[in-house]
Amino acid sequence: MRVSATVCSKGGVGKTTTTANLGGLLADAGLRVLLIDLDTQPTLSSYYELSQPAPGGGDRAGRS
């Protein structure tokens, strides 16, 4: 297992976009990928559609 992190304290530098694109590239290459967004404004989930809702979770609009 390999772990990679995209970190920068400055906002607006493309961390989420870079992470989403890198994760998609690795997944397309056949690797198993887990992306975790620890930002206080998590937008990584908006890059990927869920095939089914998570039990007990809300959707992207914030409704549960």
Side-chain angles (χ1 to χ4, degrees):
M1 175 175 57
R2 293 182 185 196
V3 177
S4 177
T6 306
V7 181
C8 182
S9 61
K10 185 176 181 332
V13 295
K15 297 178 297 288
T16 300
T17 302
T18 300
T19 301
N21 288 331
L22 182 59
L25 179 69
L26 294 171
D28 285 346
L31 298 173
R32 292 176 55 176
V33 177
L34 173 64
L35 301 174
I36 301 174
D37 192 350
L38 299 176
D39 195 342
T40 56
Q41 296 178 324
T43 56
L44 184 60
S45 59
S46 67
Y47 281 78
Y48 301 99
E49 293 291 328
L50 295 176
S51 59
Q52 49 187 291
D59 64 7
R60 288 190 312 205
R63 298 180 300 266
S64 53

